[in-house]
Amino acid sequence: MKLCTLVTVVFVTSISCLLEAQVGAPKIGFVRYADGTARAVYGLANNFITGEQIFASTDAVAFSASGGLVASHGNIHLIGPTGAVFGEYGSSETHPLLNIDGNLTTAIAYLPREQVLLRWDGKSLSPVQLSTAGLSGTVTSVDVLNTHEAELLVATSDGNISELAVSLDTGETTSVKLLPGIKGPAVLYHSWVLFQDKDGLEIEAANGTRRTVTLSHDAASQNDLVIERMAADWLHVISQTTKQSWALHLNSRVAEWAELPGLPSSSSHKRGGE
């Protein structure tokens, strides 16, 4: 059996077993811990439970209620809600950007080494080569605007952020908008932009209003946070310095922030993806 096929089989089996498990607390979503393991999170804000790992080694993850994207050892997997793998893409990329807002058509990945977008066309993860025009900086976030366009946030060397619309048909930049007062790296999330400054994690709405989440001193340094989608209305926020991990529940009605528990003491027990 080929290695890629073997990894896929183990991956699907691990997720399927987890999704079929009977856990009393409601499932929130899936997160990637600092050790690279991907795990389910159950419970309610301030009373979370970390479940068994579904994958032992990941580089990035993004999940919604309809499925998720998982990057592991350079391979990008698109999975459905039951753990079935719908698409795969082989790459040497170790730091991809992943996002999925809703159904699988909103799944998108950015591969910085290749300057390629991966989007689900209903049959496969299809690569779109980006034009270098307009990409004069570091891409920090990506999402799907509509059937034909993606949206990127790009940080310049001085930390300023621009919002780019990019054609998913040609890879050309169709519009550029500077976001004043926002410093990189920044992350798109529905109609909000999230970024870190000296005060903490800033959440700016489309009308310009902001909410600040205060962080501990050790986690307050610039560019310390990694933010990944863990569910439809939830973000996983990780401090690279302290290895602390938080869940941010954010939509038009609620904004909740709570620390996630650390890895279970049995974290050395590995399942899929070893």
mmCIF file of all heavy atoms in Angstrom, residues 140 153-156 158-163 178-188 192-197 202-205 208 210 222:
data_model
loop_
_atom_site.group_PDB
_atom_site.id
_atom_site.type_symbol
_atom_site.label_atom_id
_atom_site.label_comp_id
_atom_site.label_asym_id
_atom_site.label_seq_id
_atom_site.Cartn_x
_atom_site.Cartn_y
_atom_site.Cartn_z
ATOM 1 N N THR A 140 -1.269 36.791 5.465
ATOM 2 C CA THR A 140 -1.513 36.355 6.842
ATOM 3 C C THR A 140 -2.883 35.711 7.030
ATOM 4 O O THR A 140 -3.127 35.090 8.064
ATOM 5 C CB THR A 140 -1.386 37.526 7.823
ATOM 6 O OG1 THR A 140 -2.400 38.503 7.536
ATOM 7 C CG2 THR A 140 -0.011 38.185 7.707
ATOM 8 N N LEU A 153 -5.436 38.890 3.343
ATOM 9 C CA LEU A 153 -4.802 39.993 4.068
ATOM 10 C C LEU A 153 -3.309 39.868 3.872
ATOM 11 O O LEU A 153 -2.738 38.785 4.037
ATOM 12 C CB LEU A 153 -5.145 39.946 5.555
ATOM 13 C CG LEU A 153 -6.599 40.203 5.954
ATOM 14 C CD1 LEU A 153 -6.732 40.285 7.468
ATOM 15 C CD2 LEU A 153 -7.150 41.463 5.302
ATOM 16 N N VAL A 154 -2.673 40.989 3.520
ATOM 17 C CA VAL A 154 -1.238 41.003 3.239
ATOM 18 C C VAL A 154 -0.574 42.042 4.128
ATOM 19 O O VAL A 154 -0.991 43.208 4.163
ATOM 20 C CB VAL A 154 -0.960 41.316 1.752
ATOM 21 C CG1 VAL A 154 0.539 41.358 1.492
ATOM 22 C CG2 VAL A 154 -1.624 40.271 0.857
ATOM 23 N N ALA A 155 0.464 41.619 4.857
ATOM 24 C CA ALA A 155 1.210 42.519 5.744
ATOM 25 C C ALA A 155 2.507 42.934 5.075
ATOM 26 O O ALA A 155 3.262 42.095 4.580
ATOM 27 C CB ALA A 155 1.513 41.828 7.073
ATOM 28 N N THR A 156 2.777 44.239 5.054
ATOM 29 C CA THR A 156 4.034 44.741 4.525
ATOM 30 C C THR A 156 5.121 44.633 5.586
ATOM 31 O O THR A 156 4.850 44.290 6.741
ATOM 32 C CB THR A 156 3.894 46.206 4.080
ATOM 33 O OG1 THR A 156 3.519 47.010 5.226
ATOM 34 C CG2 THR A 156 2.830 46.346 2.999
ATOM 35 N N ASP A 158 6.590 46.861 7.206
ATOM 36 C CA ASP A 158 6.381 47.773 8.338
ATOM 37 C C ASP A 158 5.107 47.454 9.112
ATOM 38 O O ASP A 158 4.702 48.203 10.005
ATOM 39 C CB ASP A 158 6.369 49.222 7.868
ATOM 40 C CG ASP A 158 5.318 49.487 6.800
ATOM 41 O OD1 ASP A 158 4.554 48.555 6.476
ATOM 42 O OD2 ASP A 158 5.273 50.615 6.281
ATOM 43 N N GLY A 159 4.451 46.341 8.750
ATOM 44 C CA GLY A 159 3.304 45.879 9.527
ATOM 45 C C GLY A 159 1.959 46.382 9.061
ATOM 46 O O GLY A 159 0.929 46.001 9.634
ATOM 47 N N ASN A 160 1.915 47.234 8.034
ATOM 48 C CA ASN A 160 0.629 47.696 7.532
ATOM 49 C C ASN A 160 -0.095 46.564 6.805
ATOM 50 O O ASN A 160 0.529 45.687 6.217
ATOM 51 C CB ASN A 160 0.818 48.889 6.582
ATOM 52 C CG ASN A 160 1.299 50.124 7.313
ATOM 53 O OD1 ASN A 160 0.860 50.407 8.434
ATOM 54 N ND2 ASN A 160 2.218 50.866 6.704
ATOM 55 N N ILE A 161 -1.432 46.622 6.839
ATOM 56 C CA ILE A 161 -2.243 45.540 6.289
ATOM 57 C C ILE A 161 -3.081 46.038 5.112
ATOM 58 O O ILE A 161 -3.735 47.082 5.194
ATOM 59 C CB ILE A 161 -3.186 44.958 7.363
ATOM 60 C CG1 ILE A 161 -2.389 44.264 8.461
ATOM 61 C CG2 ILE A 161 -4.182 43.984 6.747
ATOM 62 C CD1 ILE A 161 -1.722 42.989 8.027
ATOM 63 N N SER A 162 -3.045 45.257 4.036
ATOM 64 C CA SER A 162 -3.919 45.509 2.896
ATOM 65 C C SER A 162 -4.835 44.308 2.695
ATOM 66 O O SER A 162 -4.451 43.167 2.943
ATOM 67 C CB SER A 162 -3.108 45.745 1.611
ATOM 68 O OG SER A 162 -2.385 46.945 1.685
ATOM 69 N N GLU A 163 -6.049 44.598 2.223
ATOM 70 C CA GLU A 163 -7.027 43.561 1.914
ATOM 71 C C GLU A 163 -7.111 43.415 0.401
ATOM 72 O O GLU A 163 -7.423 44.379 -0.309
ATOM 73 C CB GLU A 163 -8.378 43.958 2.494
ATOM 74 C CG GLU A 163 -9.481 42.959 2.288
ATOM 75 C CD GLU A 163 -10.776 43.476 2.874
ATOM 76 O OE1 GLU A 163 -11.012 43.253 4.076
ATOM 77 O OE2 GLU A 163 -11.552 44.132 2.133
ATOM 78 N N LEU A 178 -6.306 49.373 1.660
ATOM 79 C CA LEU A 178 -5.514 49.501 2.884
ATOM 80 C C LEU A 178 -6.444 49.532 4.086
ATOM 81 O O LEU A 178 -7.493 50.184 4.062
ATOM 82 C CB LEU A 178 -4.679 50.785 2.834
ATOM 83 C CG LEU A 178 -3.773 51.051 4.040
ATOM 84 C CD1 LEU A 178 -2.671 50.001 4.122
ATOM 85 C CD2 LEU A 178 -3.177 52.453 3.961
ATOM 86 N N LEU A 179 -6.065 48.815 5.152
ATOM 87 C CA LEU A 179 -6.839 48.799 6.388
ATOM 88 C C LEU A 179 -6.117 49.653 7.429
ATOM 89 O O LEU A 179 -5.216 49.175 8.122
ATOM 90 C CB LEU A 179 -7.009 47.368 6.896
ATOM 91 C CG LEU A 179 -7.699 46.383 5.939
ATOM 92 C CD1 LEU A 179 -7.862 45.016 6.609
ATOM 93 C CD2 LEU A 179 -9.042 46.912 5.464
ATOM 94 N N PRO A 180 -6.464 50.917 7.553
ATOM 95 C CA PRO A 180 -5.746 51.815 8.467
ATOM 96 C C PRO A 180 -5.917 51.415 9.919
ATOM 97 O O PRO A 180 -6.992 50.979 10.348
ATOM 98 C CB PRO A 180 -6.387 53.184 8.181
ATOM 99 C CG PRO A 180 -7.724 52.875 7.609
ATOM 100 C CD PRO A 180 -7.563 51.604 6.851
ATOM 101 N N GLY A 181 -4.838 51.539 10.681
ATOM 102 C CA GLY A 181 -4.886 51.261 12.107
ATOM 103 C C GLY A 181 -4.777 49.801 12.469
ATOM 104 O O GLY A 181 -4.771 49.455 13.647
ATOM 105 N N ILE A 182 -4.702 48.927 11.475
ATOM 106 C CA ILE A 182 -4.572 47.498 11.732
ATOM 107 C C ILE A 182 -3.153 47.066 11.382
ATOM 108 O O ILE A 182 -2.643 47.380 10.311
ATOM 109 C CB ILE A 182 -5.598 46.691 10.907
ATOM 110 C CG1 ILE A 182 -7.008 47.035 11.385
ATOM 111 C CG2 ILE A 182 -5.338 45.197 11.024
ATOM 112 C CD1 ILE A 182 -8.104 46.343 10.615
ATOM 113 N N LYS A 183 -2.523 46.367 12.290
ATOM 114 C CA LYS A 183 -1.151 45.918 12.092
ATOM 115 C C LYS A 183 -1.117 44.405 11.937
ATOM 116 O O LYS A 183 -1.934 43.675 12.485
ATOM 117 C CB LYS A 183 -0.266 46.341 13.274
ATOM 118 C CG LYS A 183 -0.063 47.853 13.362
ATOM 119 C CD LYS A 183 0.723 48.388 12.166
ATOM 120 C CE LYS A 183 0.998 49.875 12.286
ATOM 121 N NZ LYS A 183 1.785 50.370 11.117
ATOM 122 N N GLY A 184 -0.096 43.956 11.196
ATOM 123 C CA GLY A 184 -0.002 42.529 10.917
ATOM 124 C C GLY A 184 0.829 41.790 11.939
ATOM 125 O O GLY A 184 1.590 42.392 12.693
ATOM 126 N N PRO A 185 0.681 40.455 11.928
ATOM 127 C CA PRO A 185 -0.248 39.702 11.097
ATOM 128 C C PRO A 185 -1.691 39.838 11.576
ATOM 129 O O PRO A 185 -1.937 39.989 12.768
ATOM 130 C CB PRO A 185 0.237 38.261 11.230
ATOM 131 C CG PRO A 185 0.896 38.221 12.563
ATOM 132 C CD PRO A 185 1.521 39.566 12.768
ATOM 133 N N ALA A 186 -2.627 39.833 10.630
ATOM 134 C CA ALA A 186 -4.042 39.971 10.957
ATOM 135 C C ALA A 186 -4.804 38.812 10.325
ATOM 136 O O ALA A 186 -4.339 38.191 9.365
ATOM 137 C CB ALA A 186 -4.578 41.308 10.459
ATOM 138 N N VAL A 187 -5.981 38.534 10.883
ATOM 139 C CA VAL A 187 -6.764 37.374 10.450
ATOM 140 C C VAL A 187 -8.190 37.811 10.140
ATOM 141 O O VAL A 187 -8.806 38.564 10.914
ATOM 142 C CB VAL A 187 -6.781 36.288 11.552
ATOM 143 C CG1 VAL A 187 -7.733 35.157 11.193
ATOM 144 C CG2 VAL A 187 -5.373 35.755 11.779
ATOM 145 N N LEU A 188 -8.709 37.341 9.012
ATOM 146 C CA LEU A 188 -10.109 37.562 8.647
ATOM 147 C C LEU A 188 -10.993 36.530 9.341
ATOM 148 O O LEU A 188 -10.650 35.356 9.424
ATOM 149 C CB LEU A 188 -10.288 37.413 7.133
ATOM 150 C CG LEU A 188 -9.635 38.449 6.242
ATOM 151 C CD1 LEU A 188 -9.521 37.926 4.821
ATOM 152 C CD2 LEU A 188 -10.435 39.751 6.272
ATOM 153 N N TRP A 192 -15.167 40.417 10.733
ATOM 154 C CA TRP A 192 -14.198 40.977 11.658
ATOM 155 C C TRP A 192 -12.772 40.789 11.143
ATOM 156 O O TRP A 192 -12.487 39.890 10.355
ATOM 157 C CB TRP A 192 -14.298 40.298 13.032
ATOM 158 C CG TRP A 192 -15.554 40.577 13.782
ATOM 159 C CD1 TRP A 192 -15.820 41.643 14.592
ATOM 160 C CD2 TRP A 192 -16.734 39.761 13.821
ATOM 161 N NE1 TRP A 192 -17.081 41.539 15.133
ATOM 162 C CE2 TRP A 192 -17.665 40.397 14.665
ATOM 163 C CE3 TRP A 192 -17.090 38.550 13.211
ATOM 164 C CZ2 TRP A 192 -18.924 39.874 14.920
ATOM 165 C CZ3 TRP A 192 -18.353 38.029 13.466
ATOM 166 C CH2 TRP A 192 -19.252 38.688 14.304
ATOM 167 N N VAL A 193 -11.893 41.639 11.638
ATOM 168 C CA VAL A 193 -10.450 41.467 11.457
ATOM 169 C C VAL A 193 -9.830 41.398 12.845
ATOM 170 O O VAL A 193 -10.086 42.258 13.695
ATOM 171 C CB VAL A 193 -9.826 42.625 10.657
ATOM 172 C CG1 VAL A 193 -8.312 42.453 10.566
ATOM 173 C CG2 VAL A 193 -10.429 42.701 9.258
ATOM 174 N N LEU A 194 -9.019 40.375 13.097
ATOM 175 C CA LEU A 194 -8.366 40.190 14.384
ATOM 176 C C LEU A 194 -6.873 40.406 14.232
ATOM 177 O O LEU A 194 -6.265 39.941 13.261
ATOM 178 C CB LEU A 194 -8.630 38.783 14.934
ATOM 179 C CG LEU A 194 -10.035 38.453 15.433
ATOM 180 C CD1 LEU A 194 -11.006 38.232 14.281
ATOM 181 C CD2 LEU A 194 -10.020 37.247 16.348
ATOM 182 N N PHE A 195 -6.280 41.111 15.181
ATOM 183 C CA PHE A 195 -4.835 41.319 15.175
ATOM 184 C C PHE A 195 -4.352 41.576 16.596
ATOM 185 O O PHE A 195 -5.140 41.895 17.494
ATOM 186 C CB PHE A 195 -4.444 42.474 14.249
ATOM 187 C CG PHE A 195 -4.940 43.836 14.693
ATOM 188 C CD1 PHE A 195 -4.098 44.724 15.344
ATOM 189 C CD2 PHE A 195 -6.257 44.220 14.457
ATOM 190 C CE1 PHE A 195 -4.544 45.972 15.746
ATOM 191 C CE2 PHE A 195 -6.720 45.462 14.855
ATOM 192 C CZ PHE A 195 -5.866 46.347 15.500
ATOM 193 N N GLN A 196 -3.055 41.445 16.785
ATOM 194 C CA GLN A 196 -2.462 41.594 18.110
ATOM 195 C C GLN A 196 -1.687 42.901 18.201
ATOM 196 O O GLN A 196 -0.964 43.274 17.275
ATOM 197 C CB GLN A 196 -1.521 40.418 18.390
ATOM 198 C CG GLN A 196 -0.956 40.381 19.799
ATOM 199 C CD GLN A 196 -0.042 39.189 20.009
ATOM 200 O OE1 GLN A 196 0.185 38.417 19.090
ATOM 201 N NE2 GLN A 196 0.473 39.031 21.216
ATOM 202 N N ASP A 197 -1.843 43.602 19.318
ATOM 203 C CA ASP A 197 -1.025 44.777 19.592
ATOM 204 C C ASP A 197 -0.607 44.747 21.056
ATOM 205 O O ASP A 197 -0.795 43.739 21.749
ATOM 206 C CB ASP A 197 -1.741 46.081 19.214
ATOM 207 C CG ASP A 197 -3.007 46.330 20.038
ATOM 208 O OD1 ASP A 197 -3.215 45.632 21.055
ATOM 209 O OD2 ASP A 197 -3.795 47.219 19.664
ATOM 210 N N GLU A 202 -6.968 42.356 19.411
ATOM 211 C CA GLU A 202 -7.963 43.319 18.972
ATOM 212 C C GLU A 202 -8.928 42.656 17.987
ATOM 213 O O GLU A 202 -8.510 41.927 17.087
ATOM 214 C CB GLU A 202 -7.299 44.519 18.289
ATOM 215 C CG GLU A 202 -6.279 45.250 19.154
ATOM 216 C CD GLU A 202 -6.913 46.048 20.287
ATOM 217 O OE1 GLU A 202 -8.163 46.106 20.361
ATOM 218 O OE2 GLU A 202 -6.170 46.606 21.112
ATOM 219 N N ILE A 203 -10.224 42.915 18.177
ATOM 220 C CA ILE A 203 -11.268 42.393 17.299
ATOM 221 C C ILE A 203 -11.999 43.593 16.721
ATOM 222 O O ILE A 203 -12.754 44.279 17.422
ATOM 223 C CB ILE A 203 -12.242 41.483 18.073
ATOM 224 C CG1 ILE A 203 -11.485 40.382 18.806
ATOM 225 C CG2 ILE A 203 -13.286 40.900 17.132
ATOM 226 C CD1 ILE A 203 -12.330 39.615 19.800
ATOM 227 N N GLU A 204 -11.775 43.879 15.447
ATOM 228 C CA GLU A 204 -12.377 45.051 14.816
ATOM 229 C C GLU A 204 -13.523 44.630 13.902
ATOM 230 O O GLU A 204 -13.358 43.808 13.000
ATOM 231 C CB GLU A 204 -11.347 45.843 14.019
ATOM 232 C CG GLU A 204 -11.954 47.086 13.365
ATOM 233 C CD GLU A 204 -10.930 48.057 12.833
ATOM 234 O OE1 GLU A 204 -10.012 48.462 13.600
ATOM 235 O OE2 GLU A 204 -11.025 48.411 11.642
ATOM 236 N N ALA A 205 -14.694 45.221 14.122
ATOM 237 C CA ALA A 205 -15.870 44.945 13.310
ATOM 238 C C ALA A 205 -15.826 45.762 12.025
ATOM 239 O O ALA A 205 -15.004 46.676 11.862
ATOM 240 C CB ALA A 205 -17.133 45.261 14.099
ATOM 241 N N GLY A 208 -15.775 49.508 12.273
ATOM 242 C CA GLY A 208 -14.615 50.138 12.903
ATOM 243 C C GLY A 208 -14.567 50.040 14.407
ATOM 244 O O GLY A 208 -13.550 50.394 15.023
ATOM 245 N N ARG A 210 -14.076 48.362 18.050
ATOM 246 C CA ARG A 210 -13.118 47.349 18.489
ATOM 247 C C ARG A 210 -13.448 46.821 19.876
ATOM 248 O O ARG A 210 -13.987 47.515 20.722
ATOM 249 C CB ARG A 210 -11.696 47.913 18.511
ATOM 250 C CG ARG A 210 -11.082 48.117 17.159
ATOM 251 C CD ARG A 210 -9.637 48.539 17.281
ATOM 252 N NE ARG A 210 -9.069 48.837 15.967
ATOM 253 C CZ ARG A 210 -7.832 49.283 15.763
ATOM 254 N NH1 ARG A 210 -7.041 49.491 16.817
ATOM 255 N NH2 ARG A 210 -7.397 49.531 14.550
ATOM 256 N N GLN A 222 4.325 41.244 20.470
ATOM 257 C CA GLN A 222 3.810 41.324 19.113
ATOM 258 C C GLN A 222 4.066 40.026 18.354
ATOM 259 O O GLN A 222 5.100 39.384 18.506
ATOM 260 C CB GLN A 222 4.488 42.493 18.379
ATOM 261 C CG GLN A 222 3.842 42.875 17.066
ATOM 262 C CD GLN A 222 2.525 43.603 17.254
ATOM 263 O OE1 GLN A 222 2.214 44.051 18.349
ATOM 264 N NE2 GLN A 222 1.739 43.694 16.190
#
